[in-house]
Amino acid sequence: MVQFTTWATAFLVGLAAAAEYPPDVVDKLAESSLPKLKEYLEKNPQGSCTYETAVKRREWSNLSVQERKDYTDAVLCLMSKPALTSAQAPGAKSRFDDYVVIHIQQTPRNHGSTFFLPWHRYYVWHYENALRTECNYKGYQPYWNWDRYAKDPANSPLFDGSEGSMGGNGAKVTHQGIPIPGAPSPYNMIPPGSGGGCVTTGPFKNMSVNVGPLAPSLQTTRNPQSDGLGYNPRCLRRDVNKNAAAVTTANYTYDLITANKEIYWFQTVMEGQFPQGKWGVHAGGHYTVSGDPAGDFYVSPGDPMFWLHHTMIDRVWWIWQMQDLEKRLTQVSMTRTMNNFPPSANGTLDDLSGLGVLAEDVKVRELMSTMGGLGGKFCYVYD
């Protein structure tokens, strides 16, 4: 009876979400692209990884409240376990902090470079796996469909502060807005949202942000170390911002996928063309949360919302790849350093990408496919 009730509750929640959030153009494109994936897998079998056996990553509002709580409980569990990186980062106090440390250390290599998309795919999968293997989480990493909540993110199922949310907005604090480095006026400043202070509701209301900042978007306490890895405990702050969310609606994502046939332009438009005043959906999602640490380019994984945002980034890449799997599963571009600074050679599928002390280096080619990548450990699709 309990099992039936759980299934029935999940089913009813799914129906409610479907009624409240009908499929957008990106959802429809993903659905219409699945036959291409299935046909590819028929021609190119991936061992035990088939469409039927693949994990289905789901959108936040399609999870029941209990499933959402199971996820946030697992994140809190990760925050309670001792760090593996404390020898190199004195500020790291938990396994959750480990992932922030790795992002800080590897940001100059893994943004605006060959490694941006494949490295983050590895990073998110490894975090998902830690939740499952170390904190007994039975589900999989959920994603944040930006379009669903773009008109009013602060009052969405993500940020309403309920037990089924990812925590509330920050308390209202007066500030001038969120600066966007490298963008011309008037695109260099996002008007303030309705928060800016400490998060006081939801599962992360008592969370401690321990490392950083390095590139803060709001005034906050400085880290005792110049590399941002010293111990600097402070509250989680957010300024949930519909001005930033405006560039993450489905039309932007659909155009990103359909108008950019080569990986260079797909990634460039996604990450943002700041000199032209174009933030891209990547920056738009980060600045929708904003605050400290979400608005910090280096330390952003310190806000648990990072993981839902970057799972959506991976989903968008997955949909883009499905449009031409034969070509796009092997297509990389850009150089090996962020924005080619310092100048470096073009990256290749044989370059190594890893997670520092958390996971071994693997060739980029092992991170290109969600179906059979990483020696078969990647076996997932998006529902």
Side-chain angles (χ1 to χ4, degrees):
M1 179 60 119
V2 172
Q3 189 176 34
F4 173 78
T5 303
T6 301
W7 175 87
T9 299
F11 177 73
L12 291 173
V13 168
L15 286 179
E20 186 173 359
Y21 303 109
D24 60 42
V25 291
V26 177
D27 298 330
K28 292 176 182 178
L29 178 60
E31 181 68 25
S32 68
S33 302
L34 289 177
K36 299 177 184 178
L37 176 61
K38 294 175 182 178
E39 181 182 357
Y40 177 84
L41 292 173
E42 287 179 4
K43 296 178 180 178
N44 303 274
Q46 300 299 313
S48 62
C49 181
T50 67
Y51 183 79
E52 290 69 30
T53 61
V55 165
K56 308 296 192 294
R57 287 181 176 173
R58 299 159 62 199
E59 209 281 331
W60 184 252
S61 62
N62 289 345
L63 304 178
S64 69
V65 171
Q66 184 58 55
E67 287 172 326
R68 297 178 207 169
K69 192 171 184 303
D70 289 344
Y71 175 76
T72 55
D73 282 349
V75 176
L76 290 169
C77 162
L78 207 62
M79 292 178 181
S80 72
K81 293 184 175 293
L84 301 177
T85 58
S86 54
Q88 56 190 280
K93 302 302 178 183
S94 71
R95 288 286 288 111
F96 182 84
D97 290 342
D98 287 338
Y99 289 92
V100 188
V101 169
I102 297 302
H103 194 269
I104 290 173
Q105 293 175 327
Q106 297 201 17
T107 283
R109 186 176 190 264
N110 295 322
H111 297 78
S113 73
T114 303
F115 307 106
F116 174 69
L117 290 165
W119 182 85
H120 280 90
R121 176 169 282 174
Y122 192 13
Y123 187 53
V124 170
W125 175 85
H126 196 276
Y127 178 81
E128 173 189 66
N129 192 57
L131 295 177
R132 290 175 51 78
T133 58
E134 299 178 41
C135 288
N136 202 34
Y137 177 52
K138 303 303 183 185
Y140 296 93
Q141 179 59 44
Y143 66 93
W144 163 19
N145 184 337
W146 309 307
D147 183 79
R148 289 191 174 189
Y149 322 114
K151 290 183 179 179
D152 189 13
N155 293 305
S156 72
L158 287 169
F159 299 112
D160 64 11
S162 66
E163 68 170 359
S165 73
M166 284 295 294
N169 193 8
K172 178 64 177 176
V173 171
T174 301
H175 63 94
Q176 293 182 333
I178 307 301
I180 307 295
S185 180
Y187 305 105
N188 61 342
M189 182 69 73
I190 302 175
S194 55
C198 297
V199 170
T200 60
T201 57
F204 303 113
K205 62 184 178 182
N206 297 318
M207 176 185 163
S208 176
V209 178
N210 294 324
V211 295
L214 271 176
S217 60
L218 294 175
Q219 185 175 3
T220 186
T221 54
R222 294 181 61 180
N223 195 280
Q225 294 185 191
S226 60
D227 60 7
L229 299 179
Y231 186 43
N232 187 26
R234 58 203 188 279
C235 71
L236 174 67
R237 295 170 64 191
R238 286 177 178 160
D239 186 38
V240 178
N241 195 304
K242 65 181 180 182
N243 299 295
V247 303
T248 66
T249 51
N251 57 301
Y252 286 103
T253 307
Y254 182 84
D255 288 348
L256 168 67
I257 295 168
T258 59
N260 298 285
K261 308 301 182 185
E262 299 297 326
I263 188 63
Y264 173 83
W265 284 111
F266 173 75
Q267 183 177 326
T268 296
V269 173
M270 172 184 271
E271 287 200 78
Q273 297 165 284
F274 297 107
Q276 289 81 40
K278 299 176 181 179
W279 303 340
V281 294
H282 174 242
H286 280 297
Y287 289 124
T288 295
V289 187
S290 197
D292 175 32
D296 188 316
F297 187 57
Y298 293 84
V299 196
S300 53
D303 188 313
M305 270 305 304
F306 171 97
W307 301 95
L308 278 74
H309 173 50
H310 263 277
T311 307
M312 179 63 175
I313 289 288
D314 187 65
R315 178 189 183 231
V316 173
W317 184 29
W318 173 75
I319 298 170
W320 182 84
Q321 287 181 308
M322 282 198 294
Q323 306 315 300
D324 187 351
L325 286 158
E326 293 286 351
K327 179 179 180 181
R328 297 181 182 183
L329 286 177
T330 58
Q331 196 177 98
V332 295
S333 185
M334 300 190 179
T335 67
R336 297 181 175 122
T337 49
M338 183 166 62
N339 301 327
N340 198 32
F341 183 81
S344 59
N346 289 334
T348 72
L349 290 170
D350 289 323
D351 283 330
L352 296 176
S353 189
L355 303 174
V357 299
L358 301 185
E360 64 181 354
D361 288 353
V362 297
K363 290 183 177 181
V364 168
R365 67 174 68 254
E366 281 294 314
L367 308 174
M368 295 298 291
S369 176
T370 72
M371 300 291 289
L374 198 61
K377 294 178 182 177
F378 287 177
C379 188
Y380 66 87
V381 295
Y382 287 94
D383 196 7

